[in-house]
Amino acid sequence: MKRALLSVSDKTGLVDFAKGLVENDYELISTGGTLKTLQEAGIAAKSITEITHFPEILDGRVKTLHPAVHAALLAKRENADHMATLKELDITPIDLVAVNLYPFKETASNPNATYDQAIENIDIGGPSMIRSAAKNAKDVLVLVDPADYAAVLTAISADEITDDLRRTLQAKAFRHTAAYDALIASYLSKTAFPEKLTLTYEKDFDLRYGENPHQKAAVYANSIPTPYSILQAKILHGKKLSYNNIKDADAALRTILEFNRKPTVVTLKHMNPAGIGQADTIETAWDKAFAADDISIFGGIVVANREIDLATATKMHAIFLEIIIAPSFTPEAFDMLAKKKNLRLLSLPIADKLPKEIEVTSVLGGAVAQEMDDVVEEDADLEVVSEKQPTAEQISALIFAQKAVKHVKSNAILVATDGQTLGIGAGQPNRIDSVKIAIAHAETKPDSANAVLASDAFFPMDDSVSFAASKGITAIVEPGGSIKDKDSIAMANKLGVVLVFSHRRHFRH
């Protein structure tokens, strides 16, 4: 008769699995609440204390940390010395272990949980048993996921326990304990950039493909969910998001957070804002965002920070969009938009600010990590360096443009009036080309008079100021900090343009 040790926090499928093991001539050993569950189901099982001949102590903190358990797991069956030692010490080998761990994640995710409660939910004996069993996977089946119970029972019943199955379960077991330890390490870390960066994510779903059809891809979410995340949005209508949808939607959500004070709509394409509109109503905000770039928005993403009403939905329905994200939709608006089978409608409460997370980006052979760029400039952060002073309307437009330009790929230039983007130049190898692209777009708009310009980084040459002024730009905001700042200031003074320094760069690559 073989022996199985069952000690699980998650009791899903436990009783049926235990019955299946008994039917296949396994003797069961169990602990604490697992043993009680089995006994209540009428399943015979020995207490771990019958194996260790040592009581569970310290409120259950010590129960399986015993040679009678770990020797039974770690002994190599083909090693005569190992088996002789077990016989001498009257230790029976354990052939299967089903263990899942104390709910540390659930406890740490609870904002009301105390430090002591979290620490008490750090499992010690469970990971030790899993690691012992997984190390000796050639002789011991190790299960950490109830989803594997049925397949393992089928293999046992058919006497088809293959090396491939053992190694699959072995790898899953070590991933399980590694993720568990990473969660604990993250919870306890006092610094954002520790000497070892331990990250753990849980697979959400497979994607049809990645950025391109020939690339395989999948979605992983933080093990402790981030509330304001595209991965937490509710899909009210339409199919699952694609790889590019998720990246674009994430960029759109980051952008909309800059504009919480008034109804705002952001349209986005390929990780860059196409248009941003802000007004007293969400319908007018949509009108402004759409007018800002009515070409790039085709097949793009829209995010609004207020409920979508029927009037706004009717206008959105008239064009091809991939995704609309909003806190909610009126029933009439939803019915209108849901007529389009391929349009995804997502609801997500728009947060007040970005969550405090570290951004991690992979590079070949490693990763770079940084704090999020969550700084929002206000009027008091700006320094007027030109002779000409800005009007109140220009200051308001400059702040609007400054909030928007930080979400455009560098080199980033954005032309705007107060509450509406007019032209965006993104990702050019040199800044003057971005200036020319942004202004060329803005010149096609009827409301471009008295437009202002924002730059994500300083002007290393005065040519950007000169070109902008020649095209009617009345005010410019840039970080300053170039060794040629004096040249740009002199050019602004010569041409009668307002020049304002923000003293903060907003590169986004």
Side-chain angles (χ1 to χ4, degrees):
M1 178 176 285
K2 291 193 173 184
R3 182 172 273 188
L5 194 161
L6 310 180
S7 180
V8 294
S9 176
D10 179 359
K11 307 294 192 295
T12 303
L14 171 66
V15 170
D16 288 340
F17 183 55
K19 287 179 179 178
L21 290 174
V22 171
E23 289 170 3
N24 282 279
D25 296 324
Y26 274 77
E27 178 185 40
L28 305 185
I29 308 165
S30 194
T31 65
T34 306
L35 177 64
K36 182 180 179 182
T37 299
L38 296 177
Q39 290 172 339
E40 289 174 349
I43 300 171
K46 288 185 176 181
S47 168
I48 194 69
T49 58
E50 295 181 62
I51 307 303
T52 62
H53 305 292
F54 197 91
E56 295 186 17
I57 62 172
L58 306 181
D59 299 319
R61 282 190 166 200
V62 178
K63 52 193 172 190
T64 59
L65 297 169
H66 194 282
V69 174
H70 289 274
L73 295 172
L74 286 164
K76 294 181 178 180
R77 308 306 194 256
E78 79 279 7
N79 186 308
D81 290 340
H82 283 197
M83 299 311 292
T85 299
L86 292 193
K87 185 174 182 181
E88 179 185 349
L89 298 174
D90 194 24
I91 296 174
T92 301
I94 295 173
D95 306 286
L96 182 148
V97 167
V99 174
N100 52 61
L101 308 175
Y102 291 173
F104 179 83
K105 180 181 78 171
E106 291 75 9
T107 306
S109 301
N110 183 350
N112 298 319
T114 65
Y115 168 83
D116 287 342
Q117 287 171 328
I119 295 302
E120 205 55 39
N121 275 280
I122 295 176
D123 202 325
I124 302 300
S128 299
M129 286 189 292
I130 291 170
R131 290 174 63 83
S132 290
K135 179 173 181 175
N136 202 25
K138 185 177 179 180
D139 297 314
V140 182
L141 288 169
V142 56
L143 294 92
V144 295
D145 185 351
D148 294 323
Y149 291 170
V152 169
L153 276 180
T154 298
I156 290 172
S157 298
D159 196 22
E160 293 179 352
I161 302 172
T162 63
D163 287 344
D164 184 61
L165 174 61
R166 289 182 180 278
R167 289 174 184 172
T168 297
L169 295 173
Q170 178 186 45
K172 190 169 188 176
F174 280 114
R175 288 197 300 270
H176 188 70
T177 57
Y180 194 77
D181 285 341
L183 274 176
I184 296 167
S186 296
Y187 177 82
L188 296 174
S189 292
K190 301 298 183 184
T191 174
F193 304 103
E195 77 290 347
K196 293 186 185 298
L197 185 60
T198 53
L199 304 174
T200 178
Y201 304 95
E202 296 185 8
K203 190 173 183 179
D204 199 345
F205 57 91
D206 286 311
L207 293 162
R208 287 196 302 143
Y209 54 81
E211 282 186 295
N212 301 291
H214 61 274
Q215 295 172 268
K216 293 181 180 179
V219 176
Y220 289 82
N222 286 347
S223 291
I224 296 180
T226 299
Y228 185 68
S229 163
I230 186 60
L231 303 182
Q232 299 300 316
K234 293 181 180 178
I235 300 179
L236 304 177
H237 173 74
K239 57 189 176 182
K240 287 183 178 180
L241 303 180
S242 71
Y243 182 98
N244 292 328
N245 289 157
I246 291 169
K247 295 274 286 181
D248 283 341
D250 177 70
L253 287 172
R254 291 168 184 257
T255 305
I256 200 76
L257 289 188
E258 305 284 348
F259 306 100
N260 278 332
R261 294 175 185 172
K262 295 179 68 175
T264 303
V265 171
V266 173
T267 65
L268 188 134
K269 193 77 172 289
H270 301 312
M271 300 289 289
N272 279 303
I276 302 175
Q278 190 171 56
D280 292 329
T281 68
I282 204 67
E283 180 184 1
T284 306
W286 160 257
D287 291 340
K288 286 186 172 184
F290 178 70
D293 191 337
D294 59 358
I295 296 175
S296 299
I297 184 50
F298 183 83
I301 289 175
V302 174
V303 59
N305 64 358
R306 301 291 192 275
E307 183 176 68
I308 301 295
D309 55 24
L310 179 59
T312 308
T314 302
K315 293 178 178 180
M316 291 177 171
H317 183 268
I319 63 172
F320 169 53
L321 297 171
E322 286 269 9
I323 301 169
I324 302 173
I325 308 170
S328 57
F329 299 79
T330 65
E332 298 81 8
F334 179 83
D335 290 343
M336 166 67 72
L337 294 168
K339 292 176 182 177
K340 291 197 169 185
K341 182 176 68 173
N342 293 324
L343 173 63
R344 290 116 160 152
L345 302 178
L346 278 65
S347 68
L348 184 71
I350 303 300
D352 293 327
K353 58 184 179 181
L354 279 172
K356 282 289 184 182
E357 287 190 353
I358 298 300
E359 292 182 313
V360 180
T361 303
S362 64
V363 296
L364 289 176
V368 289
Q370 66 172 354
E371 295 177 337
M372 289 185 175
D373 183 3
D374 60 357
V375 174
V376 178
E377 282 84 3
E378 301 294 349
D379 300 13
D381 298 312
L382 304 182
E383 178 191 5
V384 180
V385 295
S386 60
E387 293 172 356
K388 188 166 186 178
Q389 298 297 300
T391 64
E393 183 180 0
Q394 285 175 321
I395 286 290
S396 184
L398 289 169
I399 289 292
F400 176 85
Q402 177 76 352
K403 289 179 178 180
V405 77
K406 67 186 282 193
H407 297 279
V408 179
K409 299 291 186 180
S410 299
N411 287 315
I413 298 292
L414 186 140
V415 177
T417 54
D418 188 15
Q420 184 180 28
T421 60
L422 302 176
I424 296 171
Q428 299 305 305
N430 66 74
R431 194 155 297 276
I432 187 63
D433 280 352
S434 288
V435 172
K436 291 176 180 178
I437 291 169
I439 290 177
H441 282 289
E443 285 180 320
T444 66
K445 308 299 188 299
D447 301 324
S448 61
N450 299 315
V452 304
L453 181 148
S455 173
D456 67 342
F458 61 63
F459 290 148
M461 303 290 180
D462 63 8
D463 55 355
S464 293
V465 177
S466 176
F467 183 83
S470 73
K471 298 296 183 176
I473 296 298
T474 63
I476 296 170
V477 58
E478 54 129 322
S482 169
I483 59 173
K484 294 189 175 182
D485 276 349
K486 290 182 179 179
D487 294 346
S488 293
I489 294 170
M491 184 60 70
N493 290 336
K494 176 182 176 180
L495 301 175
V497 174
V498 173
L499 183 60
V500 173
F501 284 176
S502 66
H503 298 294
R504 187 174 283 112
R505 190 180 73 188
H506 288 296
F507 272 155
R508 187 158 189 82
H509 289 104

